[in-house]
């Protein structure tokens, strides 16, 4: 029974619109797509690519990188093999296919974006290739012309000594399959001296065949991005699509993907958070950006507009009610400010941020992406991202001042500063979270990097509650 069933399953795969899990994305989509799916699909893929970048920056091993990609793909961009049952494989692959092309539009706009996008996509493709079912992978390769020529037994015998000398990993030349391609197709193998070169041909062992595939994918994608960049100006007048593409590009450049908005305080404490609790919570749970705003407020008895906005919305989402927020800010400004001045100049804005005045919108707290890219702080302002806006010396001083009591030492600073210098500010913040919360290196916040200040605070409070729960059980 198993034989005929398996055969039927294999035949069925040939009727899929996307018959393979692997894809070179060399045919532009012709499908209709809603604006919502256009953005949602791209954001999901961007989250996977952003975590790939983070893993590379943190020098994770290839095995750790594969684990990261699996976790993020299962969460945001699942892509099952043909043997999977009860799953709409075409729907999964359509999502993957369309998300790639949307991000092409967003990432073709500068050389830096193109370079980083190609590197992340190459890594994703490589991991998918190496974890794919061998039969399905072979079937995919047979659908494409990679320009390789199988070396016959006669030629292999003539070049046996040269092939053996250049292919140290091959133990039995006679049993190994070799392919020859133009040497420009495998520059990585030429650079590592893993192939024999003759008259412009590179003789590639079968076990290195993947290098030809990966180089072909990279060359194809680089060319496609350049062509897309030339065509992109035609979209400039589309007021629906261009803001989405700009947002995606900014998210990737800031290194944080595109974070979800924390629009409410559900599950983060709600009305249980009181004004007099903020000092202790800031010391134990706040990320550096909010810790800096809190300390500046306590020191100067004031914050300028964008500082109040950034910190006020953060506190709202933490769970500070509007009534408690008014109490908090009134006390924070101190006795030098009269009640009349506070009521006239500040109370309205607090109520406005809670959606109780003006347009009555429930404003979300800003994501890391917005904090990094928008409303850059001036010399006398305290908002923004310290990892992005502080000098190296000031950042190191601030980190040790804020977190030395939570286990951060000077020995942790080199890795943090290295991430900052490579402009992966979220990686630096994630490293701080790991150190101060006793989390193994590279695990971050449930396997992800920090993308939102409230995400940092919420996870910190969650870990504290879990620790207290364990202590109570032990007692």
């Amino acid at each position: 029974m198993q034989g005929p069933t398996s055969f039927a399953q294999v035949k069925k795969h040939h009727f899929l619109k996307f018959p393979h899990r692997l894809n070179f994305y060399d045919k532009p989509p012709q499908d209709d797509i809603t604006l919502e799916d256009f953005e949602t699909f791209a954001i999901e893929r961007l989250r996977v690519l952003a975590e790939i970048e983070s893993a590379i920056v943190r020098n994770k091993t290839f095995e750790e990188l594969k684990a990261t990609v699996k976790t993020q793909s299962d969460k945001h961009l699942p892509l099952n093999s043909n043997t999977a049952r009860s799953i709409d494989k075409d729907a999964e692959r359509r999502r993957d296919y369309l998300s790639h092309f949307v991000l092409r539009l967003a990432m073709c706009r500068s050389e830096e974006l193109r370079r980083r996008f190609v590197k992340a996509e190459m890594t994703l493709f490589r991991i998918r290739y190496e974890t794919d079912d061998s039969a399905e992978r072979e079937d995919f390769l047979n659908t494409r012309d990679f320009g390789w020529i199988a070396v016959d037994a006669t030629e292999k015998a003539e070049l046996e000594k040269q092939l053996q000398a250049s292919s140290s990993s091959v133990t039995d030349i006679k049993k190994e399959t070799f392919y020859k391609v133009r040497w420009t197709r495998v520059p990585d193998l030429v650079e590592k001296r893993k192939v024999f070169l003759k008259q412009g041909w590179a003789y590639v062992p079968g076990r290195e065949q993947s290098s030809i595939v990966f180089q072909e994918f990279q060359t194809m994608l680089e060319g496609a991005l350049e062509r897309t960049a030339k065509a992109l100006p035609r979209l400039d007048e589309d007021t629906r699509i261009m803001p989405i593409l700009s947002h995606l590009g900014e998210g990737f450049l800031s290194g944080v993907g595109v974070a979800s908005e924390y629009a409410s305080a559900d599950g983060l404490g709600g009305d249980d958070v009181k004004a007099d609790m903020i000092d202790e919570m800031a010391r134990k749970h706040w990320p550096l950006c909010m810790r800096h705003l809190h300390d500046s407020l306590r020191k100067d008895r004031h914050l300028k507009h964008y500082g109040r906005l950034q910190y006020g919305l953060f506190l709202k989402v933490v769970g500070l009610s509007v009534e408690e927020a008014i109490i908090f800010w009134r006390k924070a400004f101190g006795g030098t400010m009269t009640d009349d001045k506070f009521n006239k100049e500040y109370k309205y804005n607090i109520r406005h941020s809670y959606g109780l005045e003006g347009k009555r919108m429930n404003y979300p707290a800003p994501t890391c992406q917005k904090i990094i890219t928008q409303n850059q702080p001036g010399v006398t302002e305290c908002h923004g991202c310290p990892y992005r806006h502080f000098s190296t010396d000031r950042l190191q001083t601030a980190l040790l001042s804020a977190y030395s009591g939570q286990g951060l030492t000077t020995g942790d600073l080199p890795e943090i500063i290295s991430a900052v210098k490579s402009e992966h500010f979220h990686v630096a913040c994630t490293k701080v979270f790991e150190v101060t919360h006793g989390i193994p290196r590279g695990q971050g916040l449930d396997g992800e990097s920090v993308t939102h200040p409230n995400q940092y605070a919420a996870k910190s409070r969650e870990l504290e509650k879990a620790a207290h729960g364990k202590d109570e059980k032990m007692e």
Side-chain angles (χ1 to χ4, degrees):
M1 291 294 290
Q2 185 61 37
T5 302
S6 300
F7 178 74
Q9 283 293 111
V10 171
K11 293 293 286 183
K12 184 178 178 181
H13 300 323
H14 292 288
F15 295 101
L16 291 170
K17 182 175 181 181
F18 299 95
H20 305 105
R21 181 169 171 264
L22 298 173
N23 199 326
F24 261 52
Y25 311 103
D26 50 356
K27 296 179 181 179
Q30 303 295 323
D31 294 19
D32 292 332
I33 182 172
T34 65
L35 202 60
E36 181 181 358
D37 284 350
F38 182 91
E39 183 174 20
T40 301
F41 291 178
I43 288 174
E44 289 170 342
R45 189 182 198 90
L46 193 58
R47 285 175 177 156
V48 177
L49 298 185
E51 287 303 324
I52 287 175
E53 273 207 327
S54 296
I56 292 173
V57 169
R58 302 201 66 177
N59 297 314
K60 287 189 176 183
T61 65
F62 188 64
E63 289 304 312
E64 291 173 328
L65 185 58
K66 283 200 295 187
T68 295
V69 169
K70 184 181 186 310
T71 299
Q72 297 305 314
S73 294
D74 288 347
K75 188 182 297 185
H76 303 298
L77 200 68
L79 201 63
N80 284 277
S81 67
N82 288 336
T83 55
R85 299 186 181 185
S86 304
I87 291 175
D88 189 343
K89 293 181 282 292
D90 258 338
E92 284 186 346
R93 294 170 188 183
R94 176 179 181 271
R95 196 183 201 92
D96 173 74
Y97 172 74
L98 292 174
S99 67
H100 172 88
F101 277 96
V102 174
L103 286 188
R104 265 197 206 177
L105 291 172
M107 304 305 163
C108 72
R109 305 167 72 187
S110 73
E111 185 176 342
E112 172 71 1
L113 277 171
R114 291 194 293 270
R115 180 186 64 78
R116 287 173 56 174
F117 179 64
V118 168
K119 185 175 182 179
E121 282 283 347
M122 272 289 298
T123 303
L124 179 61
F125 180 83
R126 179 186 174 192
I127 290 173
R128 286 177 172 176
Y129 182 92
E130 296 193 3
T131 57
D132 202 19
D133 177 86
S134 58
E136 291 181 31
R137 181 174 61 222
E138 190 67 26
D139 187 36
F140 167 75
L141 294 179
N142 289 336
T143 66
R144 305 190 61 85
D145 180 10
F146 290 97
W148 55 49
I149 301 172
V151 179
D152 60 33
T154 302
E155 187 175 10
K156 190 162 61 171
E158 292 175 355
L159 302 172
E160 182 174 353
K161 290 183 179 179
Q162 294 93 324
L163 293 176
Q164 185 68 70
S166 62
S167 308
S168 57
S169 61
V170 179
T171 55
D172 191 338
I173 293 295
K174 293 180 179 178
K175 292 183 179 180
E176 181 74 17
T177 301
F178 279 83
Y179 302 90
K180 59 181 180 180
V181 294
R182 289 299 176 183
W183 72 270
T184 52
R185 301 282 301 281
V186 285
D188 57 326
L189 296 181
V190 173
E191 182 183 5
K192 296 174 184 176
R193 299 185 178 184
K194 287 188 173 183
V195 291
F196 170 61
L197 299 179
K198 179 184 178 182
Q199 297 178 350
W201 292 95
Y203 288 73
V204 182
R207 64 189 62 197
E208 301 289 353
Q209 184 185 34
S210 59
S211 290
I212 305 173
V213 180
F214 299 155
Q215 185 61 42
E216 180 78 5
F217 181 87
Q218 179 175 336
T219 302
M220 179 280 303
L221 183 53
E222 288 172 342
L225 285 168
E226 290 179 5
R227 291 191 297 273
T228 305
K230 293 177 181 177
L232 192 65
R234 301 174 193 169
L235 292 175
D236 281 347
E237 296 180 2
D238 195 317
T239 56
R240 302 168 304 161
I241 293 179
M242 290 310 294
I244 295 174
L245 298 181
S246 296
H247 183 54
L248 293 169
E250 285 179 1
F252 197 52
L253 275 181
S254 63
V256 295
V258 180
S260 300
E261 302 282 11
Y262 280 74
S264 71
D266 293 343
L268 302 183
D271 293 336
D272 291 336
V273 177
K274 305 298 182 184
D276 58 7
M277 297 166 58
I278 300 302
D279 282 337
E280 182 181 3
M281 291 174 69
R283 188 180 72 254
K284 295 163 65 175
H285 304 300
W286 282 191
L288 188 59
C289 54
M290 299 305 163
R291 181 70 180 267
H292 176 59
L293 283 166
H294 183 83
D295 292 346
S296 297
L297 177 61
R298 288 296 183 236
K299 176 186 174 184
D300 301 330
R301 295 290 185 177
H302 194 263
L303 288 177
K304 292 194 173 182
H305 172 71
Y306 286 118
R308 296 197 305 273
L309 184 64
Q310 182 174 318
Y311 195 39
L313 291 173
F314 169 81
L315 291 176
K316 180 184 80 167
V317 176
V318 164
L320 196 66
S321 68
V322 65
E323 293 80 13
E324 289 295 320
I326 291 170
I327 294 172
F328 171 80
W329 287 102
R330 180 67 191 92
K331 287 183 178 179
F333 289 154
T336 58
M337 180 182 293
T338 66
D339 287 340
D340 186 55
K341 179 180 176 64
F342 176 80
N343 290 335
K344 286 182 177 178
E345 299 182 20
Y346 299 98
K347 188 174 180 179
Y348 175 88
N349 287 335
I350 295 171
R351 288 177 53 79
H352 185 274
S353 67
Y354 278 76
L356 300 175
E357 302 287 354
K359 295 181 179 179
R360 299 184 180 274
M361 291 178 58
N362 185 21
Y363 294 96
T367 64
C368 292
Q369 177 188 342
K370 289 182 179 179
I371 292 171
I372 290 170
T373 61
Q374 298 178 10
N375 303 319
Q376 303 300 294
V379 177
T380 61
E381 294 179 299
C382 301
H383 66 281
C385 171
Y387 302 99
R388 166 68 177 82
H389 300 118
F390 281 14
S391 67
T392 300
D393 289 342
R394 186 185 179 193
L395 175 60
Q396 293 183 99
T397 301
L399 285 168
L400 291 173
S401 174
Y403 300 114
S404 58
Q406 292 175 262
L408 188 80
T409 69
T410 54
D412 300 308
L413 295 179
E415 184 178 349
I416 296 169
I417 299 304
S418 175
V420 170
K421 288 182 176 178
S422 64
E423 298 188 354
H424 287 87
F425 311 113
H426 65 308
V427 174
C429 189
T430 305
K431 170 64 177 177
V432 171
F433 184 89
E434 290 172 347
V435 171
T436 57
H437 291 80
I439 294 174
R441 177 183 179 276
Q443 290 192 11
L445 285 70
D446 296 326
E448 295 188 355
S449 301
V450 176
T451 58
H452 199 296
N454 287 96
Q455 173 198 24
Y456 184 113
K459 186 61 181 178
S460 178
R461 295 178 67 196
E462 179 186 317
L463 290 173
E464 182 185 56
K465 289 178 182 177
H468 284 171
K470 288 182 180 179
D471 291 341
E472 290 175 1
K473 288 182 179 180
M474 290 178 65
E475 292 175 3

